[in-house]
């Protein structure tokens, strides 16, 4: 049963309608923990994108080979393999950025979002749809992380990607870890409010 | 029954494939990781010594590594140094010099090892262990780089790790032959951003520059605000000559603590103090032994 | 498990804590301990000659890792009954490191050597407290948040999740430690950490699931649903990774996992208590649910920041 969405729609779905961080509220640990700079967001976003895409494609390729009763262990094995690969690669080729992220790259293996995506989508859909869906989810995660990172880095250290933009540090609080909770909470509330507003307008226009 | 076999078979195959992928990635990336680590250290070393793109390394500069080991023989312990042997400019091998705990020379063993293998801890340990025999165990402790220019010493580079406010802080320290500080670089830490993490900033690290051995032996941390002109000099915002002048003025002072991070500042100061004192003590002993025993080394 | 049992356990724990540095080698010395910043107190088993004991030349003190650097004793004060010697040093001592004291010719013993270190049991407790409060996995390390927000609405669910999680984490981390020490490390297979740890966790969850189903179906009905959520919890993979990178031995690992589970339970309980109240408060409609939960969690995180740098032992 193939999905009836086009490939482009799959991607935008991942970024907007079913954004992992803001809508599905999954994989929030890194969103709160290390979204202190845009660079971190990009790096971790890329890692998650890589893992999501490769896992989705792998599972989709092997969906007939996997016995239904052991599908969860198989998903776990696949995800763990790709996480190990990206972890080793990042550590070797981008050591400075990797050091910033600590163990969060390894923790990708425990992200509910990836397993859920495999369970709900990749094991039923053909390879190409799985690829685009994985891409969408990964990009959605990256976008979320970058947005939060942007807010925190700008307001916390007055810089973007390490380049001083404001010339002063507005509120050190924002790059302290606990601010992650506040920023995410406020942004979620804000998105909810926007949604309600547009929904009300739509209803009002009918 | 057949189902269980199928499950086991498929699971095993998946595991094997996964293992192969990970193994191959590991082999490929490990080499890159080592190369990157080495490059990073080299960059830090050159920056500490004051070289950069504008001031390239002179041809006459040499870097010699001295490795310190703990040798255990039954109940007794001794310190062993793996040094490059041979005079300046000669192709030499390596010698393992054993010194007792109270500073007297015990013996020297020649170690056969190539220049690149000596950097690999596993190979190095093996070579020394074989040369010393099974009755003694060797344990690597730390290494120092002696920098020379035309054969005479210009700097010593040491690594050190000590507890900070949160976890350990790792630094690299550059000392001149009189044990004054040339520079300091923070290699790793897990301090709070904006507070303890400010130890990475120039206005903290550079306070250690130019401090001589006697000042460092008694260095303390003072909780007073950093004078503005000193701040400007440390951060390199004024021209070099003026900055040097100001730093000379402050060179006998204690370290100005970071705002809101007294413990981290104190940790770094005590760490530097301990490292310098221990290193000076040990190097003096080693130099004495090298002179007494007439052992030729390229530094 | 009544009050008497609790009392007994607490007494044993306090007794172990007071053991300070238990002496290994000689019978000459019964106890050693660090006193002020630059002092060591040596307790002799039998009274010793006071002039001998007060002679700095008869002592050699150094840190275990730096045997060639001798620490300078500035003064020694021996007690009236000759059973205690207070050694004062020029420089402050680094009490986190084990120090070795060698004596010669004191109390009739030609040569003896003993170590001075902080109580090992105290060190274990400090790992526990660290994982529980100072580095609380939810509020300070920001892990396990998805599950955290999902199960922190009611006190009942919070307690259930917390307890199940603690049990699973202790069991699975213990197994991970065994595999790490005896299989991964010796064969240089460090990069298989992730796969092995997550695999063992799934195995533990599966095992606990099956066992609970058979042994206590009633318990299973109330707690079983949380088992599945344990796998999705970032903390469960973070703890073995932390254990691997720090190279802890078994007891330290046990304390770490206990602290992690306990910290999670604590976080859940605190959060659920607040959650129940927030439900009755006037929250703006866009903020109802997750957003307000995040903000509350943020305030907890700020509060827990206060534990930073706490040092009990």
């Amino acid at each position: 049963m193939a999905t009836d969405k086009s490939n482009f729609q799959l991607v935008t779905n991942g970024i907007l309608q079913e954004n992992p961080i803001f809508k599905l509220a999954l994989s929030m640990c890194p969103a709160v923990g290390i979204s202190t700079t845009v660079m971190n967001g990009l790096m971790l976003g890329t890692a998650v994108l890589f893992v999501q895409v490769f896992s989705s494609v792998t599972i989709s390729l092997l969906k007939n080979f996997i016995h239904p009763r052991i599908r969860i262990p198989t998903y776990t094995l696949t995800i763990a393999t790709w996480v190990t690969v990206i972890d080793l690669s990042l550590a070797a080729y981008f050591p400075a950025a990797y050091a910033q992220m600590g163990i969060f790259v390894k923790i990708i293996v425990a992200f509910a979002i990836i397993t859920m995506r495999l369970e709900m989508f990749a094991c039923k859909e053909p390879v190409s749809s799985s690829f685009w869906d994985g891409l969408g989810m990964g990009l959605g995660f990256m976008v979320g992380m970058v947005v939060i990172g942007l807010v925190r880095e700008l307001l916390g250290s007055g810089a973007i990607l390490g380049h001083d933009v404001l010339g002063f540090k507005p509120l050190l609080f924002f790059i302290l870890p606990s601010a992650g909770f506040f920023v995410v909470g406020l942004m979620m509330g804000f998105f909810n409010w926007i949604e309600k507003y547009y929904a009300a307008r739509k209803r009002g226009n009918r | 029954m057949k189902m269980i076999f199928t499950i086991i078979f498929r699971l095993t195959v998946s595991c094997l494939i996964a293992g192969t992928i990970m193994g191959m990635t590991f082999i490929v990336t490990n080499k890159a990781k080592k190369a990157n680590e080495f490059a990073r250290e080299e960059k830090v070393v050159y920056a500490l010594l004051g070289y950069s793109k504008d001031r390239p390394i002179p041809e006459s500069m040499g870097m010699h590594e001295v490795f310190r080991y703990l040798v255990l023989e039954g109940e007794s312990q001794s310190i062993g140094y793996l040094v490059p042997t041979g005079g300046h400019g000669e192709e030499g091998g390596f010698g393992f010099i054993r010194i007792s705990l109270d500073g007297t020379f015990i013996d020297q063993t020649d170690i056969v090892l190539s220049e690149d293998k000596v950097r690999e801890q596993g190979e190095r340990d093996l070579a020394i262990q074989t040369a010393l025999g099974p009755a003694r165990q060797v344990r690597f402790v730390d290494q120092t780089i002696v920098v020379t220019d035309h054969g005479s010493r210009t700097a010593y580079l040491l690594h050190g790790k000590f507890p900070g406010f949160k976890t350990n802080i790792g630094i690299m320290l550059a000392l001149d032959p009189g044990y004054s500080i040339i520079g300091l670089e923070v290699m790793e830490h897990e301090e709070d951003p904006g507070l303890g993490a400010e130890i990475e900033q120039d206005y903290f690290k550079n306070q250690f520059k130019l401090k001589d051995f006697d000042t460092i032996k008694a260095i303390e941390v003072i909780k007073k605000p950093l004078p503005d002109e000193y701040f400007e000099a440390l951060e390199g915002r004024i021209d070099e000559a003026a900055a040097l002048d100001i730093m000379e003025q402050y060179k006998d002072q204690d370290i100005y603590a970071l705002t809101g991070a007294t413990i981290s500042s104190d940790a770094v100061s005590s760490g530097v103090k301990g490292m310098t004192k221990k290193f000076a003590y040990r190097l003096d002993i080693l130099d004495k032994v090298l002179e007494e025993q007439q052992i030729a080394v390229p530094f | 498990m009544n009050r008497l049992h609790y009392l007994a356990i607490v007494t044993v724990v306090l007794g172990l804590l007071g053991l300070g540095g238990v002496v290994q080698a000689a019978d000459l010395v019964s106890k050693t301990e660090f006193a002020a910043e630059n002092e060591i107190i040596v307790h002799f088993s039998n009274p010793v000659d006071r002039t001998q004991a007060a002679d700095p030349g008869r002592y050699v003190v150094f840190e275990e890792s730096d045997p060639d650097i001798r620490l300078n004793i500035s003064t020694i004060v021996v007690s009236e009954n000759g059973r205690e010697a207070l050694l004062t040093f020029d420089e402050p001592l680094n009490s986190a490191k084990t120090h070795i004291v060698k004596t010669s010719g004191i109390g009739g013993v030609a040569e003896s050597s003993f170590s001075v270190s902080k109580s090992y049991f105290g060190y274990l407790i400090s790992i526990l407290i660290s994982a529980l409060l100072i580095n609380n996995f939810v509020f300070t390390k920001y892990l396990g948040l998805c599950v955290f927000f999902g199960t922190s609405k009611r006190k009942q669910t919070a307690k259930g999740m917390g307890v199940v999680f603690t049990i699973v984490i202790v069991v699975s981390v213990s197994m991970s430690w065994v595999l790490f020490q005896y299989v991964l490390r010796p064969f240089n297979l460090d990069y298989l950490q992730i796969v092995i740890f997550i695999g063992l966790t799934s195995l533990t969850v599966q095992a606990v699931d099956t066992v609970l189903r058979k042994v206590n179906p009633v318990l299973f009905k109330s707690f079983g649903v949380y088992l599945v959520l344990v796998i999705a919890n970032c903390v469960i993979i973070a703890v073995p990774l932390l254990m691997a990178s720090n190279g802890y031995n078994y007891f330290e690992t046990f304390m770490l996992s206990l602290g992690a589970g306990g910290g999670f339970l604590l976080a859940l309980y605190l959060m659920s208590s607040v959650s129940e109240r927030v439900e009755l408060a006037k929250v703006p409609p866009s903020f109802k649910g997750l957003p307000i939960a995040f903000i509350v969690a943020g305030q907890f995180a700020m509060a827990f920041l206060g534990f930073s740098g706490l040092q009990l032992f």
Side-chain angles (χ1 to χ4, degrees):
Chain A
M1 168 204 56
T3 186
D4 50 356
K5 289 197 184 141
S6 79
N7 288 336
F8 181 66
Q9 278 181 316
L10 284 173
V11 176
T12 50
N13 179 48
I15 303 181
L16 294 172
Q17 282 109 314
E18 288 192 299
N19 187 298
I21 299 185
F22 295 122
K23 289 264 115 211
L24 302 180
L26 294 171
S27 323
M28 291 179 294
C29 314
V32 170
I34 54 168
S35 54
T36 46
T37 58
V38 175
M39 194 49 162
N40 281 359
L42 277 174
M43 286 260 107
L44 197 66
T46 325
V48 171
L49 182 69
F50 176 86
V51 174
Q52 176 75 69
V53 167
F54 273 80
S55 308
S56 291
V57 168
T58 317
I59 294 294
S60 191
L61 278 172
L62 297 175
K63 61 177 176 289
N64 297 315
F65 183 68
I66 303 172
H67 197 283
R69 283 193 59 173
I70 54 156
R71 54 179 208 291
I72 303 279
T74 321
Y75 298 158
T76 318
L77 184 66
T78 321
I79 300 178
T81 313
W82 293 119
V83 170
T84 313
V85 168
I86 191 76
D87 180 63
L88 289 172
S89 314
L90 279 181
Y93 298 115
F94 299 99
Y98 181 76
Q100 287 272 351
M101 295 197 281
I103 47 173
F104 275 96
V105 178
K106 296 204 171 92
I107 285 180
I108 297 181
V109 77
F111 280 11
I113 177 66
I114 307 188
T115 316
M116 270 189 46
R117 220 55 207 164
L118 295 180
E119 167 82 346
M120 282 178 29
F121 204 88
C123 69
K124 301 175 205 148
E125 306 294 338
V127 181
S128 63
S129 317
S130 305
F131 174 77
W132 292 111
D133 176 71
L135 194 71
M137 280 292 151
L139 280 178
F141 179 81
M142 193 195 290
V143 165
M145 287 287 290
V146 168
V147 169
I148 300 179
L150 197 68
V151 171
R152 284 180 78 180
E153 191 175 6
L154 202 59
L155 293 178
S157 39
I160 300 185
L161 277 178
H163 298 292
D164 227 350
V165 166
L166 292 181
F168 69 100
K169 297 187 184 188
L171 261 181
L172 180 67
F173 173 68
F174 278 100
I175 46 175
L176 279 187
S178 32
F181 281 113
F182 282 100
V183 173
V184 176
L186 286 171
M187 289 183 84
M188 273 190 182
F190 183 62
F191 277 125
N192 275 355
W193 181 79
I194 291 186
E195 245 194 51
K196 287 197 161 71
Y197 179 72
Y198 275 111
R201 271 188 58 169
K202 253 199 191 165
R203 263 181 278 129
N205 283 345
R206 278 211 208 110
Chain B
M1 213 47 209
K2 185 163 171 252
M3 193 176 70
I4 296 192
F5 277 129
T6 339
I7 293 182
I8 295 183
F9 171 70
R10 292 188 185 178
L11 207 55
T12 321
V13 170
S14 326
C15 286
L16 284 173
I17 301 180
T20 327
I21 298 180
M22 291 195 280
M24 289 197 311
T25 322
F26 176 68
I27 296 176
V28 169
T29 54
N30 208 24
K31 289 210 186 93
K33 192 159 94 147
K34 292 211 169 116
N36 269 339
E37 261 175 37
F38 186 63
R40 180 175 172 240
E41 266 215 21
E42 245 189 13
K43 219 173 69 161
V44 171
V45 164
Y46 292 150
L48 265 182
L49 295 174
Y51 299 114
S52 58
K53 278 201 299 252
D54 316 317
R55 286 183 57 196
I57 332 160
E59 283 286 320
S60 51
M61 186 179 99
M63 307 228 290
H64 314 277
E65 285 149 340
V66 175
F67 303 92
R68 187 166 70 94
Y69 279 79
L70 201 59
V71 184
L72 304 139
E73 192 173 355
E75 278 292 319
S76 71
Q77 295 175 326
S78 50
I79 305 281
Y81 290 93
L82 183 71
V83 296
T85 47
H88 164 61
E90 287 174 23
E91 263 304 316
F94 294 93
F96 192 71
I97 304 175
R98 277 203 312 142
I99 303 182
S100 74
L101 292 184
D102 44 29
T104 45
F105 172 74
I106 304 181
D107 59 29
Q108 178 192 353
T109 332
D110 284 326
I111 307 278
V112 179
L113 208 52
S114 69
E115 274 248 2
D116 19 80
K117 286 238 175 91
V118 80
R119 298 211 179 91
E120 290 280 325
Q121 185 173 343
E123 304 270 345
R124 202 171 58 223
D125 288 358
L126 189 60
I128 300 177
Q129 183 74 67
T130 348
L132 287 185
R136 312 184 182 128
Q137 280 107 47
V138 293
R139 200 160 33 131
F140 175 65
V141 187
D142 57 34
Q143 77 181 74
T144 313
I145 303 181
V146 182
V147 185
T148 59
D149 194 8
H150 291 115
S152 51
R153 301 182 189 177
T154 47
Y156 302 111
L157 296 164
L158 337 159
H159 288 269
K161 221 187 240 198
F162 38 82
F165 180 61
K166 287 217 158 151
T167 55
N168 291 332
I169 300 180
I171 63 168
M172 191 186 263
L173 192 62
L175 301 172
D176 77 9
Y179 306 130
S180 314
I181 300 190
I182 299 178
L184 147 71
E185 190 62 54
V186 176
M187 304 290 280
E188 53 175 354
H189 71 88
E190 280 180 34
E191 310 291 287
D192 286 321
L195 299 166
E198 297 286 289
I199 52 176
E200 284 178 340
Q201 300 290 356
D202 281 340
Y203 72 85
F204 181 73
K205 282 188 320 199
N206 288 349
Q207 285 188 54
F208 288 91
K209 278 194 186 169
L210 296 186
K211 298 236 187 293
D212 61 32
F213 191 36
D214 291 318
T215 323
I216 283 291
K217 278 200 281 195
I219 200 97
E220 296 286 338
V221 159
I222 44 178
K223 286 163 75 157
K224 282 208 222 127
L226 199 63
D228 277 332
E229 50 161 18
Y230 196 22
F231 180 78
E232 302 273 312
L234 292 170
E235 286 275 328
R237 291 194 189 168
I238 52 183
D239 73 86
E240 247 192 83
L244 211 56
D245 256 349
I246 297 182
M247 287 183 58
E248 286 276 337
Q249 278 176 27
Y250 282 93
K251 100 177 149 136
D252 295 326
Q253 290 259 16
D254 287 326
I255 304 287
Y256 288 92
L258 292 166
T259 322
T262 321
I263 298 188
S264 304
S265 317
D266 193 43
V268 176
S269 302
S270 318
V272 170
K273 189 190 334 190
M275 277 170 68
T276 319
K277 279 166 62 171
K278 288 187 185 168
F279 176 71
Y281 176 78
R282 290 186 173 131
L283 193 66
D284 284 341
I285 293 185
L286 181 63
D287 275 340
K288 195 172 63 119
V289 165
L290 288 175
E291 214 188 286
E292 278 175 7
Q293 302 296 326
Q294 300 276 316
I295 303 175
V297 283
F299 53 83
Chain C
M1 268 298 193
N2 55 18
R3 283 187 196 265
L4 216 57
H5 282 125
Y6 283 130
L7 202 60
I9 294 178
V10 170
T11 325
V12 169
V13 167
L14 287 177
L16 281 169
L17 283 173
L19 269 179
V22 180
V23 175
Q24 290 131 317
D27 301 313
L28 174 65
V29 170
S30 62
K31 193 166 96 118
T32 58
E33 57 186 344
F34 289 107
E37 248 191 8
N38 56 347
E39 293 171 358
I40 289 182
I41 301 183
V42 180
H43 298 264
F44 295 102
S45 326
N46 304 305
V48 296
D49 180 47
R50 292 186 73 225
T51 23
Q52 279 183 343
D55 174 13
R58 293 182 187 270
Y59 294 88
V60 172
V61 185
F62 50 87
E63 287 181 14
E64 197 177 27
S65 51
D66 292 320
D68 54 333
I69 309 263
R70 304 293 154 86
L71 301 172
N72 258 343
I73 304 179
S74 57
T75 55
I76 304 184
V77 175
V78 186
S79 67
E80 283 291 322
N81 57 8
R83 296 193 72 147
E84 273 176 28
L86 174 72
L87 283 70
T88 315
F89 294 85
D90 291 339
E91 294 277 332
L93 299 171
N94 184 355
S95 52
K97 291 204 162 168
T98 311
H99 286 65
I100 308 274
V101 177
K102 288 191 186 234
T103 62
S104 47
I106 295 187
V109 180
E111 285 206 2
S112 100
S113 120
F114 41 92
S115 62
V116 189
S117 59
K118 287 212 252 194
S119 155
Y120 188 63
F121 198 70
Y123 171 64
L124 289 180
I125 296 283
S126 73
I127 296 187
L128 179 69
I129 302 279
S130 163
L132 199 65
L133 293 175
I134 310 170
N135 284 321
N136 184 295
F137 277 84
V138 178
F139 291 130
T140 319
K141 291 196 141 134
Y142 322 104
L143 296 172
L145 295 180
C146 331
V147 179
F148 177 72
F149 285 112
T151 53
S152 62
K153 303 232 170 62
R154 290 259 116 74
K155 282 212 193 112
Q156 273 303 101
T157 28
K159 276 194 278 197
M161 182 70 204
V163 170
V164 168
F165 181 71
T166 312
I167 298 177
V168 172
I169 205 175
V170 171
V171 173
S172 88
V173 172
S174 308
M175 292 204 294
S176 306
W177 180 83
V178 170
L179 262 174
F180 179 69
Q181 285 286 25
Y182 298 115
V183 176
L184 290 181
R185 270 267 201 84
F187 294 109
N188 228 338
L189 293 172
D190 275 356
Y191 58 93
L192 289 181
Q193 272 176 23
I194 303 177
V195 184
I196 299 283
F197 293 154
I198 200 81
L200 280 176
T201 313
S202 325
L203 219 68
T204 315
V205 168
Q206 199 56 37
V208 173
D209 186 276
T210 326
V211 165
L212 211 53
R213 240 188 254 260
K214 298 251 165 70
V215 166
N216 198 337
V218 176
L219 210 62
F220 180 74
K221 261 196 93 188
S222 39
F223 289 144
V225 65
Y226 305 125
L227 276 177
V228 184
L229 290 176
V230 169
I231 289 275
N233 193 331
C234 304
V235 183
I236 200 91
I237 188 82
V239 173
L241 287 176
L242 211 59
M243 172 268 293
S245 75
N246 281 342
Y248 283 154
N249 69 18
Y250 182 69
F251 296 109
E252 294 160 348
T253 317
F254 180 74
M255 284 296 173
L256 179 67
S257 47
L258 201 63
F264 195 70
L265 175 62
L266 181 71
L268 274 177
Y269 193 71
L270 289 173
M271 190 70 188
S272 61
S273 315
V274 175
S275 239
E276 284 181 356
R277 300 245 177 133
V278 164
E279 268 179 39
L280 303 171
K282 281 201 189 145
V283 182
S286 348
F287 277 82
K288 272 209 167 81
L290 265 180
I292 195 71
F294 262 92
I295 298 191
V296 172
Q299 291 177 309
F300 270 118
M302 286 203 294
F304 269 74
L305 205 60
F307 284 117
S308 205
L310 179 68
Q311 253 195 345
L312 287 178
F313 295 101

